[in-house]
Amino acid sequence: MPRLTLRRRRQLAGAVFALPALVLVLGLIGLPIGQAVYYSFTQWDGLTSTWIGPSTWTQAFHNPNLWTALQNNAWLLLAVPFALGFPLLIAMLLHQRVVGWKVFRSIYFLPTAISWVVLGLVAERFFAYQGTLNSLLHVVGLAHVNTNMLGYESTALSALGITFVFTMIGTNTMLFLTGLATLDTSLEEAARIDGAGRWRIFRHITLPHLSRFIQLAFVMTVIALFSALFSLIFVMTGGGPGYATTTMEFLIYQTGFAQGDFGTAALYGLILFVLTAIVGIIQLRLIGSDE
Amino acid sequence: MAEITFEGVTKVFAGNVTAVDHLDLHVADGEFMVLVGPSGCGKTTALRMLAGLEEISSGTLSIGGRVVNHVLPKDRDVAMVFQNYALYPHMSVAQNMGFALKIRGESKDEITRKVAEAASILRLSEYLDRRPKALSGGQRQRVAMGRAIVRSPRAFLMDEPLSNLDAQLRVEMRVEIARIQRLLGVATLYVTHDQIEAMTMGDRVAVMRGGKLQQVAPPQELYDRPANEFVAGFMGSPPMNLLRVRTAPAEGRLALAVGAQRLELPRAYEASHELPTDADCELVLGVRPEDIEVVDEAGSGPTLRTRVERREALGAEILVHLALVEAGAPSSVAYDEDVAITRPSVLVARMAPQARVGVGDVLNVRLNEERLHFFDALSGVSLARGTA
Ligand SMILES: Nc1ncnc2c1ncn2[C@@H]1O[C@H](COP(=O)(O)OP(=O)(O)OP(=O)(O)O)[C@@H](O)[C@H]1O
Ligand SMILES: [Mg+2]
């Protein structure tokens, strides 16, 4: 029997131990993916499926709605920096114990604890023509700036993005606060003595320390953006006006459940999966290159 | 480079904890001042106030003649070595050492040159590209030192920098730090609770207890002329023997009652110490372990009759724990180990390993009559004249 190096043996043991989990993951993720690929080559109404070959694929890419949805997803990515930036700012303020930090600490997480359906309803009331935003504008004497963000194709997506940023604040703030709590305070003190001011300490000590947490928050936020907006869209806009707020995710729902074209829906699902996977892989690369 | 002055500096923490109480301390330019004391006596707090990490409750703190009470740490130009080193984990050794210079806006070439120079002093040149995680404890310690010395600051502050190292490395770094400090001539305040570090490294040593400064003196003076019972007991290992005794003058001669035994004192102590002249006054007699020697029956000088309770061999020396033999009690009583263990030994003597002493032996020991110490029984203050 050939002698194995310690390293090899450890790798082998790792593989053996990981096997059950691997089987489970492949079963739970691989199987549905395989099914989705299969259905994308069929005509399926929910009961019976007939093999129609790659025609779904050729037609799907000529559907302008797919491109609109992809574009909407791309535009929504612009919300990600805000969904990370605001929580980072809030976490820094809470960490430095600004006045009122105790009160704020107890409320920032509330939105996270509330169902996104409810948040969507609240947001809808907020942005509506006779909603809270306009009332507020009225109160501060800006009655002439009547908004109706959800009513126009040009602004509905922005309203959705803003709502999304708001819903992500709790989770990301908590993540960053956890990161800050693990920062050794003597590092900050050492930097202060080394002559660094607030900004330099943040830039050279805090931010590098938080980089892992920020990467994690980034992945979670992008994935949420691609795959968890459904309830917000459903409640706030129903994908409209027109297709202005229809994302890939919502398009899948519409195609499958509203139009009964499950074959095409399965194909869209695959596209979304690939996009999400790409983000994940890029992220893993970034994390990997750090060590 | 600059001198450091604490004037009545006090720190009261929330909850009314007085960590430092009216500290008056002057560290001369280029001086190596060691701050020692038991755990919780306020050493770290004093250092952190000097660094600007802790607000001063009252008093004045100045560096180089400038009051710094409200000056931010970054504007004090002092460098600090933390107990846990506080190295920036995501920076290389070179970046760690050059960080302060970079903040200061020095040119890349200048930083590289200074870092290389410091690295060669500290023998770190081959590790410059490593992260702190990939260094041994001793190397990390040297990086922490390096981060302080590249800056050529006005003062070095060090908080127990050697306490995380093993014994051998500690001895090595002790010498190293002292050498570098002399080389650079920067005023240094060095906190430790290790009295060997205090004795060997400092130009002067400041002893603190419960937030209050007890004595500031060169190490040998601190050892030879402790200002009070606490300093006497704190410096030296094993510590000075402190015996509660009573005065018992007879025929105009100074003498003490130690238990049931009489101890004659040389006349010279009358002049050098403020000893009570009345009989039966309580005071504390201090004798260092090395100032006790075994003598024959008919020895002259202050002698006590003792029995050996315990014997600890340390290799180069032995420590002999002695109990007073009560006068009248038969000395031939069989040795009872249980009793010996529960009864505190009265005196610890340091002897050569060749000394033929065994547990249970009855010995006459003579105290070095030139090196006796006397303290007030109540206040613990030294009774020696000329030390206030
Ligand atoms: N932030 C704080 N709040 C309240 N009390 C404090 C604080 N920091 C220190 N203390 C108290 O002040 C006293 C002195 O603490 P300090 O850390 O200066 O002691 P030290 O001499 O450095 O002890 P050690 O040798 O154990 O490090 C202690 O009684 C401690 O409990
Ligand atoms: Mg301390």
Side-chain angles (χ1 to χ4, degrees), chain A:
Chain A
M1 173 154 176
R3 288 190 151 230
L4 295 173
T5 61
L6 196 58
R7 195 178 133 87
R8 274 254 160 260
R9 282 163 69 161
R10 219 181 268 155
Q11 285 174 341
L12 204 65
V16 171
F17 279 116
L19 209 57
L22 202 66
V23 169
L24 204 67
V25 167
L26 283 182
L28 288 178
I29 295 178
L31 221 60
I33 291 175
Q35 262 179 325
V37 174
Y38 170 74
Y39 287 135
S40 70
F41 288 96
T42 64
Q43 177 116 47
W44 192 55
D45 56 10
L47 292 171
T48 53
S49 60
T50 30
W51 182 265
I52 55 163
S55 68
T56 311
W57 288 65
T58 47
Q59 276 168 26
F61 288 104
H62 286 107
N63 180 357
N65 292 343
L66 169 66
W67 299 106
T68 308
L70 282 173
Q71 245 171 35
N72 287 342
N73 270 18
W75 276 113
L76 278 173
L77 280 176
L78 289 179
V80 173
F82 296 98
L84 297 179
F86 284 123
L88 190 57
L89 186 70
I90 293 168
M92 286 301 292
L93 292 176
L94 285 176
H95 189 65
Q96 302 197 344
R97 320 254 137 124
V98 286
V99 273
W101 71 277
K102 274 190 176 157
V103 178
F104 198 76
R105 186 186 51 180
S106 47
I107 58 168
Y108 81 85
F109 199 67
L110 274 182
T112 314
I114 297 172
S115 155
W116 281 34
V117 175
V118 178
L119 286 177
L121 285 171
V122 172
E124 202 263 331
R125 283 314 311 147
F126 180 80
F127 289 114
Y129 186 63
Q130 291 181 325
T132 325
L133 180 58
N134 282 339
S135 306
L136 282 175
L137 287 172
H138 196 92
V139 167
V140 297
L142 293 169
H144 55 287
V145 209
N146 250 326
T147 66
N148 185 6
M149 288 185 78
L150 295 178
Y152 296 103
E153 292 195 17
S154 55
T155 50
L157 196 63
S158 306
L160 184 64
I162 292 170
T163 312
F164 171 72
V165 169
F166 183 72
T167 55
M168 288 309 289
I169 282 180
T171 321
N172 286 346
T173 303
M174 192 175 65
L175 200 62
F176 295 150
L177 271 178
T178 311
L180 287 172
T182 59
L183 177 61
D184 180 0
T185 50
S186 67
L187 290 184
E188 195 191 307
E189 291 177 346
R192 275 166 76 191
I193 293 175
D194 270 349
R198 260 166 204 258
W199 165 246
R200 293 279 183 71
I201 292 174
F202 176 74
R203 169 76 191 74
H204 294 290
I205 309 295
T206 317
L207 212 52
H209 172 80
L210 283 183
S211 64
R212 289 300 174 83
F213 294 85
I214 293 172
Q215 284 168 350
L216 179 61
F218 178 80
V219 175
M220 284 179 25
T221 305
V222 171
I223 290 176
L225 188 65
F226 280 5
S227 61
L229 276 191
F230 178 81
S231 44
L232 287 186
I233 299 172
F234 191 82
V235 173
M236 288 171 71
T237 63
Y243 279 88
T245 57
T246 299
T247 62
M248 277 306 287
E249 184 195 4
F250 202 73
L251 188 64
I252 294 167
Y253 159 78
Q254 278 189 328
T255 312
F257 293 90
Q259 296 162 12
D261 185 357
F262 285 96
T264 311
L267 172 59
Y268 291 163
L270 284 175
I271 294 173
L272 183 58
F273 170 75
V274 170
L275 288 179
T276 316
I278 288 172
V279 173
I281 289 167
I282 291 173
Q283 201 51 34
L284 279 177
R285 276 285 155 76
L286 287 179
I287 293 175
S289 69
D290 203 48
E291 256 326 63

Side-chain angles (χ1 to χ4, degrees), chain B residues 15-69:
Chain B
N16 263 339
V17 180
T18 306
V20 174
D21 196 356
H22 288 90
L23 177 65
D24 290 307
L25 186 65
H26 179 83
V27 185
D29 194 3
E31 187 178 24
F32 196 121
M33 174 71 80
V34 176
L35 195 54
V36 273
S39 192
C41 72
K43 308 180 293 288
T44 297
T45 308
L47 203 67
R48 286 172 59 86
M49 284 192 286
L50 181 54
L53 298 175
E54 211 77 73
E55 199 77 41
I56 296 168
S57 304
S58 67
T60 342
L61 182 55
S62 36
I63 301 174
R66 166 177 173 229
V67 175
V68 293
N69 284 30

